Amino acid sequence: MEYRRLGASGLVVPALSFGAGTFGGRGELFSAWGDTDAAQARRLVDISLAAGVTMFDTADVYSDGASEEVLGAAIQGRRDQLLLSTKASLPTGPGPYDAGSGRARLIGAVEGSLRRLGVDHIDLFQLHAFDAHTPVEETLAALHTLVEAGKIRYLGASNFAGWQLMKSLAAADRNGLTRYVAHQVYYSLVGRDYEWELMPLARDQGVGAVVWSPLGWGRLTGRIRRGQPLPAGSRLHQTAEAGPPVDDAVLYDVVDVLDEIAGETGKTVPQIALNWLLRRPTVSTVIVGARNEEQLRQNLGAVGWELDADQVARLDKASATTPPYPYYPYYRLPDFARLNPPAV
């Protein structure tokens, strides 16, 4: 396993992390993802640790907290061998204190995660979404207090717009509060929006990308092909509308190239898609999920080798889309490019 610094921080993370969204199986969305119980989770954790995958990511909203509970049970007796990453801010109930990033909500959310995970600290705690109703100074001060209390080691955000992340970083610097060192983002060969603003910001500010859904919400598994219906067992039948939209024309063009490279390398479509991501600027770790041992072992095969320059260029071309204003059309002009070199 390759290990990297998380952004500009001192935290060392594996290139691949394990996403526990398939643990628990409560609710319509998460039951479609998976229903891994504690015994099954323990086996997946065993395989992950043996391969050097030492960070495990979850959230309080996954399966109504059951994901944290199952993960906590699966790691008993080996807390010192791994890193735990979890998130809060999204609604976990209908009450006025069940959502957001206010002081009371965050303190309660962290205490709840610690209890469900059965641990005394969280290595990486991330806000699952930006809370526009709460001043960023209040949010950051609450998080800073939790860091100083030893309940959180490092802070991150997730799904923030560029201005939201930069406003938070500036407020942290201005007030001497703990900074975000990670941004958990959607990024894949069929979803490259991260590159337009968030990647240059991350490079400038030392924020590492923690990538979620690197296989395009299940579209880059190798089972989806041009001119064919969705496979009967695909979770997209139930979850497509909940995930990032993907243009079918781009998807099929990307899959065609992935198939070509699979023939050249002997690697699978998911392994190639993950390997492409691992070489992108600012990417600290890519979260892979698995409903079973076979899926996990296949994802683990994304490390230990590299695509060559020609293969990367072909994937870049197949997956490229025109960015929105203000990145287009000016980014193509020579004078503009002199002042604003692309992050990639």
Side-chain angles (χ1 to χ4, degrees), residues 263-279:
E264 298 164 8
T265 61
K267 303 297 183 181
T268 66
V269 166
Q271 288 167 351
I272 296 165
L274 292 170
N275 192 275
W276 178 87
L277 269 176
L278 289 171
R279 306 304 155 204

Side-chain angles (χ1 to χ4, degrees), residues 14 49 161 228 263 279 318:
L49 290 175
Q228 298 180 15
R279 306 304 155 204

Side-chain angles (χ1 to χ4, degrees), residues 181-194:
V181 298
H183 191 193
Q184 190 165 145
V185 296
Y186 170 60
Y187 188 23
S188 77
L189 268 169
V190 290
R192 295 178 59 181
D193 295 2
Y194 169 72

Side-chain angles (χ1 to χ4, degrees), residues 90-309:
L90 291 177
T92 56
Y97 308 112
D98 292 332
S101 301
R103 177 181 294 274
R105 158 68 173 164
L106 287 178
I107 292 173
V110 168
E111 295 291 354
S113 290
L114 291 172
R115 182 178 64 255
R116 287 186 292 272
L117 289 164
V119 297
D120 63 2
H121 73 275
I122 295 162
D123 296 289
L124 175 63
F125 182 78
Q126 299 144 106
L127 301 186
H128 215 156
F130 185 75
D131 177 3
H133 299 286
T134 301
V136 295
E137 292 81 4
E138 177 183 337
T139 296
L140 291 164
L143 292 171
H144 185 76
T145 298
L146 290 163
V147 170
E148 289 195 317
K151 296 181 179 182
I152 297 172
R153 297 285 169 85
Y154 292 89
L155 297 178
S158 181
N159 305 316
F160 276 32
W163 73 267
Q164 295 165 345
L165 181 56
M166 192 63 241
K167 180 176 182 178
S168 300
L169 293 170
D173 292 345
R174 186 170 59 249
N175 294 284
L177 301 172
T178 307
R179 266 179 145 247
Y180 299 139
V181 298
H183 191 193
Q184 190 165 145
V185 296
Y186 170 60
Y187 188 23
S188 77
L189 268 169
V190 290
R192 295 178 59 181
D193 295 2
Y194 169 72
E195 296 173 0
W196 298 338
E197 178 165 304
L198 294 173
M199 180 184 282
L201 189 162
R203 173 172 273 183
D204 180 73
Q205 293 294 312
V207 177
V210 177
V211 178
W212 62 264
S213 205
L215 298 180
W217 204 251
R219 291 176 173 86
L220 299 176
T221 60
R223 302 174 63 202
I224 297 177
R225 292 287 187 276
R226 189 189 304 272
Q228 298 180 15
L230 284 177
S234 173
R235 72 180 188 187
L236 286 169
H237 289 288
Q238 298 169 270
T239 66
E241 292 185 359
V246 173
D247 183 279
D248 283 345
V250 173
L251 171 63
Y252 296 138
D253 286 347
V254 169
V255 171
D256 287 345
V257 177
L258 287 169
D259 278 336
E260 293 173 6
I261 297 173
E264 298 164 8
T265 61
K267 303 297 183 181
T268 66
V269 166
Q271 288 167 351
I272 296 165
L274 292 170
N275 192 275
W276 178 87
L277 269 176
L278 289 171
R279 306 304 155 204
R280 306 306 286 176
T282 74
V283 171
S284 293
T285 186
V286 173
I287 299 172
V288 295
R291 284 182 282 185
N292 54 53
E293 183 175 334
E294 179 184 357
Q295 288 181 351
L296 176 56
R297 292 192 184 280
Q298 181 173 148
N299 288 335
L300 293 174
V303 298
W305 61 280
E306 290 191 18
L307 294 162
D308 66 32

